[in-house]
Amino acid sequence: MQASSTLMMTAKNSLQDGFKKARKLRNGFNEISSDKFERFRVARNRITHEGFSPKDDDESARLLIEVGFPLLLLCYRELHSFDLMDALIVELNEHLQIANRVYKLVRKDKNLHNIEIQYCFDSFAQCLRLQLKGNFLPDWEEDVLIKSENIGTKFGAMELILNKVSDLFGDYERFNCPVCQDVDSVLGSIDMDYLHLGDVLIQRMVCGSCGFTIGFGKPHLAMELLREQIDKVESKILKEYGINQT
């Protein structure tokens, strides 16, 4: 509490001053380097004073993953002994962790240095939209959605969508949606080059229920979202294609 009060007293000072004092009060703040924090501070000031545009999306995503979220978690942990991640809705927690894992994989891949990485948050953003959706639906619309599910209208519409997608995907596998949790609602496009090497790699996916889509140019995201399901069916898929596991 004393450390928290000390920082609150510096609220009139700059963000930079507050971070310096936080590093002296709690060693945990040293987990974030001064260089990364400076990039975060400069971007924050520029956007605050000059405004935000779509060209800032990628830089903002990188800074949120590298500095913003870690700094927020540190503040709660070090100053209030509170684990913010544990307090999040379970699904949001999971998808935020997926965003972090995908970002790390992209950073490690030497062929992906120039790729825009805001897509790492795609599943988190979709999950957040679905969590909030029910709060804004009028009663009649919610009743219609429930009725359409009970009488099979929703299932029929979903299958029409997935049938069209299957023509584009070629070789595919069905999965449960990792975002809306609907059963068997996802088509995942199989990368045949990797399959012949004995690996099941899903490069694109579409959910016919919630509309969540991952297209080309978003490496690692589909695999991170579907990894547990893929592990369970990998042997079956390889066997169906006549490929022996090594």
Side-chain angles (χ1 to χ4, degrees):
M1 286 297 294
Q2 183 177 359
S4 178
S5 299
T6 301
L7 285 180
M8 290 176 65
M9 291 174 63
T10 68
K12 295 181 180 179
N13 298 328
S14 68
L15 181 62
Q16 188 176 30
D17 292 335
F19 183 66
K20 287 179 179 179
K21 290 189 176 183
R23 286 167 71 93
K24 292 179 181 178
L25 289 167
R26 291 285 189 271
N27 289 330
F29 284 95
N30 291 305
E31 294 176 16
I32 299 176
S33 70
S34 297
D35 290 341
K36 285 185 176 181
F37 177 79
E38 184 63 13
R39 283 169 41 217
F40 180 82
R41 185 188 68 81
V42 170
R44 175 263 181 193
N45 288 345
R46 175 177 57 79
I47 291 172
T48 298
H49 297 296
E50 299 178 13
F52 183 87
S53 72
K55 68 180 181 180
D56 296 309
D57 286 348
D58 196 60
E59 182 185 13
S60 298
R62 291 177 186 273
L63 289 173
L64 276 174
I65 291 177
E66 291 185 0
V67 185
F69 286 127
L71 181 58
L72 181 62
L73 295 177
L74 277 171
C75 287
Y76 275 105
R77 187 188 77 199
E78 296 293 324
L79 303 178
H80 303 289
S81 299
F82 181 79
D83 191 325
L84 181 59
M85 292 297 287
D86 280 350
L88 288 177
I89 295 172
V90 174
E91 292 80 7
L92 293 178
N93 185 328
E94 291 175 352
H95 287 286
L96 191 54
Q97 292 187 47
I98 286 170
N100 275 280
R101 292 202 299 271
V102 173
Y103 178 70
K104 289 177 181 178
L105 289 169
V106 171
R107 288 291 303 272
K108 289 179 180 179
D109 194 327
K110 295 180 180 179
N111 298 317
L112 300 176
H113 280 328
N114 295 322
I115 193 170
E116 294 186 349
I117 56 84
Q118 63 261 32
Y119 79 89
C120 295
F121 287 105
D122 280 1
S123 68
F124 176 81
Q126 177 72 350
C127 182
L128 185 59
R129 283 191 288 267
L130 294 177
Q131 291 286 340
L132 296 174
K133 182 179 179 180
N135 296 330
F136 301 100
L137 285 179
D139 292 341
W140 69 265
E141 189 171 348
E142 187 173 1
D143 290 341
V144 169
L145 290 173
I146 293 173
K147 184 177 180 180
S148 69
E149 189 165 358
N150 290 337
I151 66 176
T153 306
K154 176 185 175 182
F155 177 79
M158 182 182 79
E159 288 302 308
L160 285 175
I161 293 171
L162 295 183
N163 285 336
K164 292 180 181 178
V165 172
S166 66
D167 293 335
L168 300 174
F169 274 10
D171 295 283
Y172 63 87
E173 182 70 20
R174 294 284 288 258
F175 298 97
N176 301 334
C177 182
V179 183
C180 72
Q181 309 301 320
D182 257 15
V183 177
D184 212 26
S185 64
V186 165
L187 285 191
S189 174
I190 299 175
D191 188 318
M192 296 306 294
D193 291 334
Y194 277 86
L195 191 72
H196 290 307
L197 296 174
D199 292 322
V200 175
L201 176 68
I202 303 300
Q203 52 186 350
R204 295 180 292 169
M205 60 174 276
V206 172
C207 177
S209 179
C210 71
F212 181 65
T213 302
I214 299 175
F216 286 123
K218 298 182 177 182
H220 302 295
L221 182 56
M223 286 298 294
E224 284 301 306
L225 286 167
L226 299 172
R227 184 169 300 282
E228 289 186 9
Q229 295 184 67
I230 291 171
D231 288 343
K232 293 178 181 178
V233 299
E234 185 173 41
S235 296
K236 177 180 75 72
I237 294 173
L238 292 173
K239 185 177 180 180
E240 288 174 352
Y241 285 90
I243 298 171
N244 295 321
Q245 284 184 293
T246 56

